[in-house]
């Protein structure tokens, strides 16, 4: 009778143990705190019989430096559980020693064996590139110069300093008059200009020191106000609303443009001039900015602001032809379906050198290369913007909407970095030398047509239509 009662109790306890194991196996427990001598044992029946507690003991044992002795193993094997004054042998489940505990699998801890795959965090997907040891190798710190990988601050500073020294050396060894033809300078421009030397590079590329006349800027500033003075002050407030120094009445932008327009009266003022002058002043001292502005206008932009504006029409025609070659669908949408004149597309870009259209870092990179390559590079940048806005242009419903988007493209449409925009602009299969030759021919042809029209007018009208091109103060 006693043997039957004991057998019945053994079966009932076994069932309880199975239920307890099943319940604990569904939940994950935190690791059992360990003392210096090993795992602190819990004396409760549930903790002794729980699967997670047993696994914690098993995994903890694997961290020991020495293998357990035979006596220790025998002692563990003979452990019993006392229930109602009866002793029952504790049956341990067989768990592979190499298996990590459930806590380590959740928190991404590596398994306790030497398997290389266990070193990756287990919370990553199996197909995740970051969790793979082959096929998608993780990059080493040595490849930190690649895009998208943060570099140590010291390395960045050293690289920046090295670029500065390259530019200082290049400007010292290359005369300003030859800078635009120098292959070394062109390569450095493609790599980028450090902000710390940008204004010196711009002055070097425009050869502004060759035009400089000491004291002239101060004399021009004292002249009577030009007719566009009020318009300049209004536009400056709109272009630089958050910069008190720039937008103040009689500020540096107003002074620079007043001095220039009083010296070159045949220039028709345009808002884009305020943008250009303001950006030069943000980079350089006022008088230096004035002479860079003069060189920039004389070399590239002055025909855009002349009364007849022949050059803008020529460049608009060249841009339309380049767009037809690069993307015939967009060209057809703009110039055929919407009947938009090409000059309406490029005027906001070219008259401000993309200051209105692009973020600061972007148009500064454009200026770096434009000052070397000339108007041809503006055509390339225009093609790049249309490529980035291609879907919006093709889906556009009206010319007003499309022109507004092109004049100020939304940031979401722009490339991720200035370097990407420059790379896109360089990728078009446009022959720069051919465009330059066509530009000269078309300009000469339009000038002959204009002169023929002027020859048919009365002498008095012809004289009034040609104001003096420059007016310097008397000595």
């Amino acid at each position: 009778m006693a043997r039957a009662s004991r057998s019945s109790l053994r079966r009932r306890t076994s069932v309880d143990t199975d239920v307890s194991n099943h319940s604990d196996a569904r939940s994950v427990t935190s690791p059992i705190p360990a003392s210096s001598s090993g795992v602190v044992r819990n004396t409760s029946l549930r903790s002794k019989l729980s699967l997670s507690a047993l696994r914690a003991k098993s995994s903890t044992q694997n961290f020991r430096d020495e293998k357990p002795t035979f006596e220790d193993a025998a002692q563990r094997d003979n452990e019993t559980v006392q229930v109602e004054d009866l002793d029952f042998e504790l049956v341990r489940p067989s768990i592979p020693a190499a298996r990590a505990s459930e806590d380590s699998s959740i928190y991404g801890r590596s398994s306790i064996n030497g398997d290389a795959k266990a070193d990756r965090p287990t919370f990553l997907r199996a197909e995740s590139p970051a969790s793979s040891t082959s096929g998608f190798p993780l990059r080493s710190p040595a490849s930190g110069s690649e895009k998208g990988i943060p570099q140590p601050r010291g390395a960045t500073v050293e690289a920046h300093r090295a670029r500065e020294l390259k530019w200082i050396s290049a400007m010292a060894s290359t005369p300003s008059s030859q800078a635009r033809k120098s292959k070394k300078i062109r390569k450095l421009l493609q790599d980028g200009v450090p902000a710390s030397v940008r204004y010196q590079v711009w002055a070097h590329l425009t050869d502004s020191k060759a035009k400089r006349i000491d004291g002239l800027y101060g004399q021009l500033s004292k002249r009577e106000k030009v007719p566009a003075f009020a318009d300049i002050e209004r536009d400056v407030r709109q272009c630089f609303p958050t910069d008190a120094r720039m937008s103040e009445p009689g500020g540096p932008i107003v002074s620079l443009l007043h001095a220039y327009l009083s010296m070159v009266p045949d220039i028709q003022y345009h808002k884009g001039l305020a943008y250009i002058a303001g950006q030069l002043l943000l980079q350089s001292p006022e008088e230096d900015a004035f002479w860079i502005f003069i060189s920039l206008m004389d070399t590239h932009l002055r025909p855009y602001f002349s009364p007849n504006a022949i050059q803008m029409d020529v460049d608009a025609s060249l841009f339309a032809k380049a767009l037809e070659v690069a993307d015939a669908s967009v060209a057809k949408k703009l110039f055929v379906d919407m009947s938009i004149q090409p000059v309406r597309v490029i005027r906001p870009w070219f008259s401000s050198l993309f200051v209105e259209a692009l973020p600061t870092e972007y148009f500064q990179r454009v200026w770096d290369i434009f000052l070397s390559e000339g108007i041809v590079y503006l055509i390339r940048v225009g093609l790049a913007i249309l490529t980035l806005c291609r879907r919006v242009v093709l889906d556009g419903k009206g010319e007003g909407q499309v022109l507004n988007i092109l004049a100020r493209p939304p940031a979401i449409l722009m490339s991720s970095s200035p370097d990407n925009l420059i790379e896109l602009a360089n990728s078009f299969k446009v022959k720069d030398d051919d465009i330059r030759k066509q530009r000269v021919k078309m300009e000469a042809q339009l000038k002959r047509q204009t002169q023929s029209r002027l020859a048919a007018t009365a002498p008095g009208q012809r004289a009034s239509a040609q104001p003096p091109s420059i007016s310097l103060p008397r000595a």
Side-chain angles (χ1 to χ4, degrees):
M1 180 69 178
R3 179 177 299 177
S5 176
R6 178 176 299 182
S7 175
S8 175
L9 181 57
R10 181 188 298 272
R11 286 196 301 271
R12 185 167 58 254
T13 306
S14 177
V15 171
D16 293 341
T17 303
D18 293 340
V19 172
S20 175
N21 288 343
H22 179 70
S23 174
D24 287 348
R26 290 182 299 174
S27 62
V28 180
T29 60
S30 58
I32 300 174
S35 64
S36 59
S37 61
V39 178
V40 178
R41 298 182 180 274
N42 193 323
T43 58
S44 67
L45 172 62
R46 185 178 182 83
S47 64
K48 287 186 176 183
L49 298 180
S50 67
L51 180 60
S52 37
L54 294 173
R55 288 180 178 174
K57 293 178 182 179
S58 177
S59 59
T60 305
Q61 178 61 41
N62 288 304
F63 285 101
R64 295 181 180 177
D65 296 331
E66 298 180 358
K67 295 183 178 180
T69 62
F70 176 78
E71 290 78 11
D72 292 337
Q75 182 179 0
R76 288 198 310 271
D77 292 338
N78 293 329
E79 287 181 355
T80 60
V81 178
Q82 187 175 19
V83 179
E84 296 181 1
D85 298 330
L86 296 176
D87 292 335
F88 296 91
E89 181 181 354
L90 179 60
V91 180
R92 296 179 177 273
S94 177
I95 303 174
R99 181 174 176 177
S101 68
E102 279 134 19
D103 292 296
S104 65
S105 66
I106 287 181
Y107 293 104
R109 299 169 187 164
S110 60
S111 64
I112 55 180
N113 64 352
D115 191 356
K117 293 183 179 180
D119 292 335
R120 65 177 181 236
T122 55
F123 57 78
L124 294 175
R125 302 188 311 275
E127 66 273 14
S128 171
S131 67
S132 176
T133 57
S134 63
F136 297 90
L138 296 178
R139 296 176 181 177
S140 63
S143 61
S145 60
E146 299 183 28
K147 297 183 184 299
I149 300 180
Q151 304 178 45
R153 181 173 178 81
T156 304
V157 172
E158 289 299 325
H160 183 83
R161 181 57 178 165
R163 290 168 60 203
E164 284 181 336
L165 294 176
K166 285 182 180 179
W167 271 108
I168 293 173
S169 174
M171 288 188 289
S173 60
T174 307
S176 296
S177 58
Q178 302 296 321
R180 295 177 59 196
K181 300 178 182 179
S182 170
K183 292 182 179 180
K184 181 178 181 180
I185 294 290
R186 287 184 174 184
K187 184 179 183 304
L188 288 175
L189 288 171
Q190 293 293 334
D191 295 337
V193 179
S196 54
V197 296
R198 175 164 274 131
Y199 118 74
Q200 290 94 333
V201 171
W202 289 356
H204 196 73
L205 290 173
T206 56
D207 196 16
S208 61
K209 292 183 178 180
K211 298 180 179 293
R212 189 170 187 133
I213 302 175
D214 293 336
L216 178 60
Y217 180 64
Q219 297 181 48
L220 294 173
S221 300
K222 297 177 183 178
R223 283 187 168 183
E224 185 180 354
K225 293 180 180 179
V226 296
F229 193 88
D231 295 335
I232 296 172
E233 289 190 321
R234 179 202 63 214
D235 291 342
V236 168
R237 289 192 298 269
Q238 294 177 356
C239 297
F240 301 89
T242 60
D243 194 320
R245 184 180 72 89
M246 290 290 183
S247 59
E248 64 181 355
I253 301 179
V254 177
S255 298
L256 188 153
L257 292 177
H258 163 67
Y260 179 76
L261 294 175
S262 66
M263 185 181 71
V264 189
D266 66 332
I267 292 296
Q268 291 186 339
Y269 171 73
H270 186 275
K271 186 178 181 179
L273 295 176
Y275 276 115
I276 295 172
Q279 294 302 323
L280 291 175
L281 286 163
L282 289 173
Q283 296 288 329
S284 56
E286 185 171 339
E287 190 165 356
D288 292 345
F290 173 73
W291 291 107
I292 296 175
F293 184 84
I294 287 180
S295 299
L296 177 62
M297 292 293 292
D298 289 350
T299 306
H300 302 291
L301 301 180
R302 187 169 166 180
Y304 286 167
F305 304 97
S306 62
N308 51 36
I310 292 176
Q311 196 63 64
M312 186 69 76
D313 293 331
V314 170
D315 293 340
S317 178
L318 293 173
F319 175 78
K321 292 181 179 180
L323 182 60
E324 289 175 0
V325 174
D327 195 333
S329 299
V330 173
K332 180 178 179 297
K333 178 71 174 183
L334 289 175
F335 308 137
V336 179
D337 298 345
M338 291 187 171
S339 300
I340 298 176
Q341 295 296 322
V343 71
R344 297 181 63 193
V345 176
I346 72 163
R347 189 185 297 278
W349 294 339
F350 289 18
S351 62
S352 66
L353 295 182
F354 293 98
V355 174
E356 291 186 271
L358 299 176
T360 302
E361 293 182 1
Y362 288 66
F363 72 72
Q364 285 179 348
R365 290 285 284 116
V366 170
W367 283 29
D368 294 342
I369 304 177
F370 157 71
L371 292 177
S372 172
E373 301 297 327
I375 299 297
V376 174
Y377 200 74
L378 299 185
I379 294 177
R380 286 184 171 274
V381 176
L383 295 176
I385 292 178
L386 275 172
T387 300
L388 296 173
C389 300
R390 186 177 191 273
R391 179 49 50 194
V392 177
V393 171
L394 293 177
D395 295 340
K397 303 301 181 182
E399 63 177 73
Q401 175 195 19
V402 171
L403 290 174
N404 288 336
I405 290 175
L406 293 179
R408 296 178 179 83
I412 194 173
L413 299 179
M414 298 306 300
S415 57
S416 58
S417 72
D419 290 337
N420 291 340
L421 178 67
I422 297 301
E423 184 177 355
L424 178 59
N426 293 337
S427 67
F428 294 103
K429 296 181 180 180
V430 176
K431 296 182 179 179
D432 295 354
D433 291 337
D434 290 348
I435 291 181
R436 293 186 181 99
K437 293 177 182 179
Q438 294 178 21
R439 192 169 185 254
V440 173
K441 291 180 180 179
M442 293 177 65
E443 183 182 5
Q445 182 180 358
L446 287 176
K447 281 184 177 180
R448 287 195 298 268
Q449 294 175 358
T450 303
Q451 291 174 356
S452 299
R453 289 195 301 267
L454 290 175
T457 62
Q461 293 176 339
R462 190 164 64 246
S464 62
Q466 297 177 348
S469 60
I470 191 167
S471 173
L472 295 175
R474 296 178 180 177

